[in-house]
Amino acid sequence: MNQPLNSKEPLIEIKNLFFTYEGQDKPTLNIPAFKVMPGENLFLFGPSGSGKTTLLECLAGVLQPNSGSLKILGKDLCLMKPAERDSFRAEHLGYIFQSFNLIPYLTVFENIILPLYLSPARKARLKGSDVQLVIRGLCGNLGIGDLADKKVLELSVGQQQRVAVARALLGTPDLLLADEPTSALDTDHREKFLKLLFEVAEHFGTTVVFVSHDRSIENLFSLSLSLQTINQS
Ligand SMILES: Nc1ncnc2c1ncn2[C@@H]1O[C@H](COP(=O)(O)OP(=O)(O)OP(=O)(O)O)[C@@H](O)[C@H]1O
Ligand SMILES: [Mg+2]
């Protein structure tokens, strides 16, 4: 479980952030100011091409902004060396990709445990816990408890989504970044999936930033914002 921060301290704080892709003359992101408070479930919407994935990748420290500051838990990712950003990401962040990025020929359990092999920081965060039990508990909470030993290619899209959530939440990250992971679900399953995601995130004390172009789900979140209101590009 994450320690609650001082409730007045933002979990994310962006100031004068610029990001331009190489070869482009106009920035994709120009965000003068943006904050997310701990415990929030933020829905950030915008049309295709508006920069949602670009912003998440900056928050994850995968893309390096050209200028400005981007603080998570008070630490400025823009001032970190690449190796520091990698270990900060592994320790504090979970990421659900637009296309899940699961490995189809591995089992559910193997997919979920994989980040621990790639990241000593994430493994260290689980020190003292029985990882087998933690993963099976997470799967149980997400309604895929009986699927842990199945290969991912044998699962439905909705079940794969829950595996992606379990993988992102393993090690109880402070921040979960979700890139339109519900786009393949029908409305009913989308709502169920989100309620489950929020329940598990609340249990772990994880703040959620979820981006999508589909506004039909925005009322399920504690806060909803248009990317275009914060991005002046
Ligand atoms: N690697 C790249 N190099 C150059 N331009 C890029 C690159 N990736 C994205 N872009 C451009 O940056 C803009 C924002 O892209 P981004 O992927 O962040 O949009 P998005 O809001 O996530 O869209 P979608 O809803 O389709 O996923 C687009 O105009 C896109 O063409
Ligand atoms: Mg995108």
Side-chain angles (χ1 to χ4, degrees), residues 47-54 56 98 179-180 211:
S48 181
S50 59
K52 300 182 297 294
T53 298
T54 307
L56 289 193
Q98 205 159 359
D179 196 349
E180 306 209 53
V211 302

Side-chain angles (χ1 to χ4, degrees), residues 31 86 121 132 142 157 186 193 198 216:
I31 304 180
D86 289 346
Q132 282 267 350
L142 288 162
V157 173
D186 59 51
F193 167 82
F198 295 153
S216 70

Side-chain angles (χ1 to χ4, degrees), residues 16 38 44 93 96 103 109 116 141 187 189 201 205 222-223 228:
N16 301 320
L44 206 52
L93 267 64
I96 307 173
I103 300 176
F109 183 90
L116 295 193
N141 282 336
T187 314
H189 280 94
S222 65
L223 196 65
Q228 283 151 317

Side-chain angles (χ1 to χ4, degrees), residues 29-46:
L29 299 177
N30 165 9
I31 304 180
F34 173 59
K35 275 184 196 173
V36 179
M37 300 308 284
E40 246 163 25
N41 292 324
L42 172 67
F43 182 71
L44 206 52
F45 61 89

Side-chain angles (χ1 to χ4, degrees), residues 76-101:
D76 193 342
L77 266 62
C78 301
L79 300 177
M80 289 180 191
K81 296 196 175 85
E84 273 179 275
R85 268 201 307 277
D86 289 346
S87 69
F88 187 85
R89 180 190 317 121
E91 198 175 340
H92 298 290
L93 267 64
Y95 201 112
I96 307 173
F97 296 89
Q98 205 159 359
S99 52
F100 312 153
N101 286 6

Side-chain angles (χ1 to χ4, degrees), residues 52-69:
K52 300 182 297 294
T53 298
T54 307
L55 175 58
L56 289 193
E57 290 187 352
C58 286
L59 288 169
V62 175
L63 291 177
Q64 174 70 339
N66 304 94
S67 59
S69 78

